[in-house]
Amino acid sequence: MAETNNNNKEKLEIVKDHTAMIHLLMLLSATLICYYNSLDCGFVFDDVSAIKENKDLRLGTPLPNLFSNDFWGTPMHKEQSHKSYRPLCVLTFRWNYAVGELDPWGYHLVNVLLHALVCILYYRVCLMFLSRTAGFVAALLFTVHPIHTEAVTGIVGRAELLSSIFFLSAFLSYAKCTRRHKETDWRYLISTVILVAVAMLCKEQGITVVAVCIVYEVFCVQKVKFVELLDMSRAILNSKIEVPDWLKVAACRLLCLCGSTMLLLMARMQIMGAKLPVFTQFDNPAAAAGFPARQLTFNYLLPLNFGLMLFPSTLLCDWTMGTVPLVETPLDSRNLATMVFYMGLFQACQFALLSTCSAARQMIMALSFLVFPFIPASNLFFPVGFVLAERVLYMPSMGLCMMLAIGWQRLTNDKKLKSLRSYAWAGLALLLLLHSTKTVMRNYDWKDEYTLFMSGLKVTQNNAKLYNNVGHALEARDRQLEALSYFRKAASVQPDDIGAFINIGRAYAAMKMYKEAESAYKKAMTLMPKVKPGQTYQTRIAPGYLSVYVNLANLISKNESRLEEAEALYRQAISMRSDMTQALINRGDVLIRLNRTRDAHESYRTALRYDDDNPDIYYNLAVVFVEQKQHAAALENFEKALQLDPHHRQSLLNSAVLIQETGNEALRPLAYQRLYHLLELEPGNEKAYFNLGILEMDDKDYKNAEMWFTKAIQEKPVFRSALFNIALLLSTELQSPLEAVPYLQQLLKHYPDHHKGLILLGDIYLNNMQDIDGAEKCFAKVLETDRNHAQARHNLCVVYVERGELARAERCLSSVLRIAPQEEYIRNHLGIVRAKINDLGTKSELDARHLNPTNGALKVEL
């Protein structure tokens, strides 16, 4: 009989394992079905800042930087930092970058796989409190829930995915350490603390698992009822009873866990510098509102978040600005939703804590998973940088799905509700179908930034940020006029939106409507907050808005007569924020144009104090040193720029040019290497082709030089220097002057006053084509713009000799000699002409070809 019972138990375990495997395969399949189309999506919204523009992902960035910078690559100590410290999440992005660089497919694949892992872990957690079927229902609801698209399809949502993995792992580990409720398995408790720390290093919400563990310890492990807990607490405080043994064990575990948590929080605050991030009123309008609007709005956001999880029909990537109008008075009808939510929460808590029903403890854990992970994003204890964000509902939805499964389990198992069983199954099937379909369709919205933000405008037309972002997406597609219309719409929706007017100005500038652009920038400047006594400017305005000064200065600096005005604007921006590096850099550029290289050098040095890992600053310093003829210092700064960014294109090009111009033979291979690397990054870079041609000319490899010049001209048919140098190369070194003529004609078509080109073409006309009239026109054309051009006047004298007008040639050469008395060749040619004039017997033998029109005076043009 005992053997039969053992066999039955073994068969039951096998069936359970088989069922669990089927459930896991179904969860994995559901994940792939719902998110397969997310693999075709690109980098959108916050992905751009966190991945494409984040230098911490680059393999050249030191790994320790990940642990001193925030999620976006900004040093934590800087005021601009969002204080979002998630180094382990950034580390996974870095691994993605190491494998596929900026191919979004790999990033999306990792997110989908991580979501599948979360679903499997969540299923294991559900089995601790629910039946196998009900646990699977909860996990399946979680897998397909549309609210998760932002966390899974949006790549930056990986922070939620990773944090959830370690959140659930920490909870499972704590459950193992309490298997014997009167004993503690310290191995699992230590692993719990480690997993909590890892969860927090993925995203801050991860630390809330500690609160869930406390609830689990009290109500599930020790099975204490809420009333008993109150009575026991009063009795212990009044010294009426001794502390029970089980409480000593539980308290020991919880003290270790809570103590470790406090240490983690202290370390986190230390990393933040004990400062909260600075947000604008547009990021979170309620945070800037007064009483009672602030309190009423923040409380209204609770039912709004819960409603999104319950009915995810209107999903939106950005809920900031005017999407959720402020609840300004107690008479606002939306306060009813707040009241209903709190009443429902109270009823759920009352049932969970006071009911003797078997589902009470299940409800306690469901509420714990729902409430605690949401607290950091609730705005109730400290403001956050958003009104509502769907991705932060990823963890709380675990609690909601568990609650739905508890309700579904009661409908299907309660004999009194047997008549509703078929409806429960049908309702579940319909809900799964609707949610799966919504998830798949929502993924298409995340395909690119245009589709994402346009989908947002279908939900709300009160969010100026959405209009601005649609405009940015259109700008990226070079649809400037359409972008301008969206920027204008943003300004009309939010008339005090400084960013909208900055965008309008930038769009006008891109369309070369500079007057309108300047007007838009000046309008943005009028919206800037006024300085208040005793209050620093940088704490009251987003650093990005000060870019209006930089943009306006950039615009007016296009006019050489307004450089001083532009420099003054840069100084004004710097006076408002001394660490505004872009203003410091651009001011340095303008100072170079004003020939104030010493001041430019100082401006760049100041920028380095605030941003010492910015390759652009080292590049600009190198340019200053080039202007000052300090070539060694210039090369040193080019090197520093390339150490920080090996793909810094301007440094690659200009360091190669400097090596060529200084004639440093030892570094010439490096110059070739950098130009080749630049062509790998940008295959159609005509400047790289041209400078390779110059290097080959210096090395006397004229055929290769001709090839590179030809490629440069193919990329840019109006490339002046390439056209002239290939003509010079053909006419001199390759002895093919007639092949040079089409290049010179093309050059003079676009640059009719190009003196060297005119002189070279006139030389070919005179010496190779015997076109004296053509040569005369070329030399005369030079003299139209420069009457004292000695070489052109000399060559015109040669034309007179060719025609036999010796007296005129003698007068011509005499006048040229007065202009350039230092030129020995002119003196020699004048002597020859005078000798021929005096020697009438041999006058007819005078041959103009003895007078070299160019006399080797033409040089390579860079």
Side-chain angles (χ1 to χ4, degrees):
M1 189 70 175
E3 185 177 343
T4 303
N5 289 335
N6 288 335
N7 289 336
N8 289 337
K9 287 181 180 179
E10 288 179 6
K11 289 180 181 178
L12 184 60
E13 290 297 325
I14 292 172
V15 170
K16 286 182 177 180
D17 291 342
H18 181 67
T19 303
M21 185 60 66
I22 292 174
H23 286 169
L24 293 178
L25 289 174
M26 290 179 70
L27 291 174
L28 181 61
S29 300
T31 301
L32 296 177
I33 290 170
C34 287
Y35 289 101
Y36 77 95
N37 60 333
S38 71
L39 301 178
D40 296 326
C41 298
F43 295 114
V44 296
F45 204 15
D46 290 338
D47 298 344
V48 177
S49 300
I51 297 169
K52 293 183 73 174
E53 298 175 358
N54 191 345
K55 290 182 289 187
D56 287 346
L57 271 63
R58 310 303 186 260
L59 300 182
T61 302
L63 199 59
N65 282 24
L66 273 66
F67 295 89
S68 60
N69 295 344
D70 68 11
F71 189 54
W72 317 97
T74 304
M76 288 289 288
H77 67 272
K78 289 194 174 183
E79 187 267 334
Q80 302 99 306
S81 172
H82 281 213
K83 311 300 182 186
S84 46
Y85 188 66
R86 303 160 194 172
L88 297 186
C89 182
V90 178
L91 183 61
T92 67
F93 291 151
R94 187 171 171 128
W95 291 337
N96 264 121
Y97 185 86
V99 174
E101 293 198 347
L102 292 178
D103 182 359
W105 188 88
Y107 294 83
H108 285 294
L109 177 63
V110 171
N111 272 27
V112 173
L113 295 177
L114 290 174
H115 178 58
L117 181 55
V118 173
C119 296
I120 290 168
L121 288 172
Y122 177 60
Y123 173 60
R124 287 188 60 189
V125 169
C126 290
L127 293 183
M128 294 171 60
F129 311 108
L130 304 173
S131 67
R132 189 168 294 273
T133 303
F136 173 65
V137 167
L140 195 56
L141 286 170
F142 179 82
T143 301
V144 304
H145 203 302
I147 203 72
H148 299 156
T149 50
E150 184 171 339
V152 181
T153 308
I155 298 172
V156 295
R158 186 178 299 179
E160 269 73 24
L161 304 175
L162 287 169
S163 187
S164 296
I165 287 171
F166 294 106
F167 178 100
L168 294 170
S169 299
F171 180 76
L172 290 168
S173 178
Y174 188 79
K176 287 182 179 179
C177 97
T178 61
R179 279 180 297 193
R180 296 178 179 177
H181 70 278
K182 292 186 178 181
E183 296 180 13
T184 300
D185 191 327
W186 290 98
R187 294 172 304 165
Y188 284 110
L189 185 59
I190 292 170
S191 68
T192 300
V193 172
I194 294 172
L195 289 167
V196 169
V198 173
M200 191 177 74
L201 290 174
C202 294
K203 192 173 182 182
E204 298 79 359
Q205 277 177 296
I207 202 167
T208 59
V209 69
V210 173
V212 179
C213 290
I214 292 172
V215 172
Y216 174 74
E217 173 74 53
V218 174
F219 295 102
C220 295
V221 177
Q222 306 302 337
K223 294 183 172 57
V224 179
K225 295 180 180 179
F226 183 67
V227 175
E228 295 174 349
L229 185 63
L230 291 177
D231 293 339
M232 187 185 305
S233 300
R234 282 195 294 267
I236 292 173
L237 289 174
N238 294 327
S239 302
K240 291 182 178 180
I241 63 169
E242 294 184 4
V243 178
D245 291 339
W246 66 264
L247 184 55
K248 293 178 182 179
V249 175
C252 184
R253 281 197 290 258
L254 294 179
L255 281 173
C256 289
L257 189 61
C258 292
S260 302
T261 303
M262 290 303 297
L263 290 175
L264 289 173
L265 284 173
M266 289 170 63
R268 179 70 173 83
M269 291 298 294
Q270 181 67 28
I271 291 169
M272 283 178 60
K275 292 181 181 178
L276 289 174
V278 176
F279 301 111
T280 70
Q281 62 173 339
F282 302 120
D283 296 322
N284 191 346
F291 179 84
R294 177 187 176 103
Q295 289 72 23
L296 292 175
T297 303
F298 282 159
N299 280 279
Y300 169 67
L301 293 178
L302 300 179
L304 189 60
N305 278 278
F306 187 76
L308 270 179
M309 287 191 288
L310 206 56
F311 304 106
S313 57
T314 54
L315 299 180
L316 184 60
C317 63
D318 192 312
W319 291 81
T320 57
M321 304 192 93
T323 306
V324 182
L326 295 177
V327 182
E328 297 184 287
T329 70
L331 300 178
D332 192 309
S333 59
R334 289 175 292 174
N335 289 315
L336 291 174
T338 306
M339 293 173 62
V340 169
F341 171 78
Y342 276 116
M343 289 171 61
L345 183 62
F346 177 78
Q347 289 292 325
C349 291
Q350 188 179 42
F351 170 78
L353 296 173
L354 302 179
S355 174
T356 58
C357 173
S358 60
R361 287 195 174 90
Q362 297 173 344
M363 183 62 74
I364 287 174
M365 294 311 303
L367 285 170
S368 298
F369 278 98
L370 174 67
V371 173
F372 291 127
F374 181 70
I375 287 175
S378 66
N379 278 295
L380 295 178
F381 299 99
F382 49 83
V384 293
F386 51 82
V387 177
L388 187 154
E390 291 163 13
R391 62 175 176 263
V392 303
L393 299 177
Y394 188 81
M395 280 188 196
S397 66
M398 296 178 187
L400 177 67
C401 292
M402 199 179 291
M403 290 171 69
L404 293 175
I406 292 169
W408 179 86
Q409 181 177 246
R410 184 175 181 187
L411 288 174
T412 53
N413 292 348
D414 196 323
K415 294 180 180 180
K416 296 177 182 179
L417 301 173
K418 187 176 181 180
S419 60
L420 299 177
R421 186 176 299 174
S422 59
Y423 293 104
W425 279 102
L428 175 64
L430 180 62
L431 183 61
L432 290 171
L433 178 62
L434 290 174
H435 276 195
S436 300
T437 303
K438 177 68 175 179
T439 299
V440 172
M441 298 307 296
R442 179 61 174 160
N443 288 335
Y444 287 115
D445 292 338
W446 285 79
K447 181 174 178 59
D448 56 48
E449 295 209 317
Y450 179 77
T451 56
L452 179 63
F453 298 125
M454 285 300 293
S455 72
L457 289 176
K458 294 175 183 176
V459 176
T460 178
Q461 290 79 47
N462 298 323
N463 188 334
K465 192 173 179 181
L466 289 174
Y467 288 104
N468 280 320
N469 285 332
V470 171
H472 293 317
L474 291 168
E475 275 185 317
R477 300 181 180 187
D478 200 25
R479 292 160 61 179
Q480 299 292 345
L481 194 58
E482 292 176 75
L484 178 61
S485 67
Y486 278 94
F487 294 145
R488 282 176 170 168
K489 183 65 177 176
S492 67
V493 169
Q494 190 86 36
D496 59 346
D497 182 9
I498 300 169
F501 287 99
I502 293 175
N503 292 334
I504 290 170
R506 193 180 60 253
Y508 275 130
M511 293 188 289
K512 302 188 185 307
M513 299 171 67
Y514 300 128
K515 185 177 179 181
E516 292 82 356
E518 184 172 347
S519 176
Y521 288 141
K522 288 181 176 178
K523 172 64 177 176
M525 290 168 66
T526 65
L527 297 173
M528 301 286 265
K530 301 298 183 288
V531 178
K532 296 179 180 179
Q535 202 172 24
T536 57
Y537 201 82
Q538 66 189 52
T539 61
R540 295 182 291 104
I541 188 167
Y545 290 155
L546 285 176
S547 67
V548 64
Y549 293 94
V550 176
N551 289 0
L552 180 56
N554 292 346
L555 179 68
I556 65 178
S557 67
K558 296 177 185 294
N559 185 338
E560 291 292 328
S561 66
R562 301 181 70 183
L563 290 179
E564 294 284 357
E565 187 181 347
E567 194 267 338
L569 279 167
Y570 291 131
R571 276 192 286 109
Q572 187 175 354
I574 295 164
S575 70
M576 295 176 181
R577 284 192 64 92
S578 59
D579 63 345
M580 194 169 185
T581 54
Q582 196 57 55
L584 289 162
I585 293 170
N586 291 9
R587 178 174 178 257
D589 298 344
V590 166
L591 288 169
I592 289 176
R593 292 166 63 187
L594 289 168
N595 294 320
R596 293 164 56 185
T597 54
R598 183 174 297 177
D599 291 337
H601 181 270
E602 183 59 31
S603 188
Y604 294 139
R605 284 292 179 193
T606 304
L608 275 179
R609 287 206 298 269
Y610 298 108
D611 193 3
D612 60 359
D613 61 351
N614 187 331
D616 292 337
I617 302 176
Y618 287 105
Y619 168 78
N620 286 321
L621 269 173
V623 171
V624 170
F625 286 124
V626 169
E627 292 288 329
Q628 295 175 342
K629 309 298 182 186
Q630 299 182 47
H631 296 149
L635 279 175
E636 181 183 347
N637 280 277
F638 281 136
E639 288 297 324
K640 288 180 179 177
L642 290 169
Q643 286 171 10
L644 292 168
D645 180 5
H647 304 320
H648 196 271
R649 301 181 184 191
Q650 290 174 303
S651 295
L652 288 169
L653 175 65
N654 287 288
S655 62
V657 171
L658 183 59
I659 291 169
Q660 184 272 326
E661 289 182 347
T662 55
N664 191 325
E665 292 297 326
L667 294 178
R668 287 182 74 80
L670 181 61
Y672 279 105
Q673 177 186 330
R674 287 184 175 170
L675 292 173
Y676 290 141
H677 183 40
L678 179 58
L679 287 174
E680 290 175 5
L681 299 172
E682 193 177 337
N685 190 310
E686 73 280 359
K687 292 181 180 178
Y689 289 136
F690 171 74
N691 284 287
L692 280 167
I694 294 295
L695 284 169
E696 299 285 15
M697 276 187 71
D698 291 346
D699 293 338
K700 302 190 184 311
D701 189 342
Y702 300 126
K703 281 296 182 184
N704 270 339
E706 181 188 6
M707 176 193 71
W708 292 121
F709 287 145
T710 302
K711 287 188 174 184
I713 294 166
Q714 288 171 350
E715 292 295 331
K716 186 179 178 181
V718 297
F719 195 163
R720 184 175 67 176
S721 296
L723 288 167
F724 174 76
N725 280 287
I726 195 171
L728 183 63
L729 177 70
L730 289 166
S731 63
T732 54
E733 307 300 344
L734 295 177
Q735 301 298 313
S736 302
L738 297 183
E739 293 181 29
V741 173
Y743 292 109
L744 289 169
Q745 290 172 339
Q746 185 177 346
L747 170 69
L748 295 171
K749 175 183 176 183
H750 298 289
Y751 308 99
D753 295 326
H754 193 283
H755 290 178
K756 291 182 180 180
L758 287 165
I759 290 172
L760 182 57
L761 183 59
D763 181 25
I764 295 172
Y765 280 156
L766 191 62
N767 288 330
N768 302 102
M769 300 175 66
Q770 287 72 51
D771 184 353
I772 298 175
D773 292 339
E776 182 178 17
K777 289 178 181 177
C778 289
F779 302 140
K781 180 69 175 175
V782 176
L783 296 174
E784 287 178 9
T785 55
D786 186 359
R787 293 190 57 79
N788 293 324
H789 195 289
Q791 192 175 359
R793 289 177 70 89
H794 167 268
N795 289 359
L796 191 59
C797 300
V798 176
V799 170
Y800 298 153
V801 172
E802 185 69 26
R803 286 183 175 153
E805 301 175 7
L806 296 182
R808 188 178 182 186
E810 192 268 343
R811 291 193 299 273
C812 177
L813 286 168
S814 296
S815 66
V816 177
L817 189 60
R818 286 193 294 274
I819 294 171
Q822 75 281 359
E823 297 292 349
E824 196 62 33
Y825 76 93
I826 299 175
R827 192 182 307 279
N828 292 338
H829 291 171
L830 178 60
I832 293 172
V833 171
R834 284 174 174 171
K836 296 302 180 183
I837 292 175
N838 291 332
D839 189 5
L840 297 177
T842 59
K843 186 189 306 181
S844 59
E845 298 175 9
L846 184 64
D847 188 346
R849 285 172 294 177
H850 291 146
L851 306 184
N852 185 349
T854 63
N855 197 49
L858 286 176
K859 298 179 181 178
V860 172
E861 179 181 303
L862 300 180

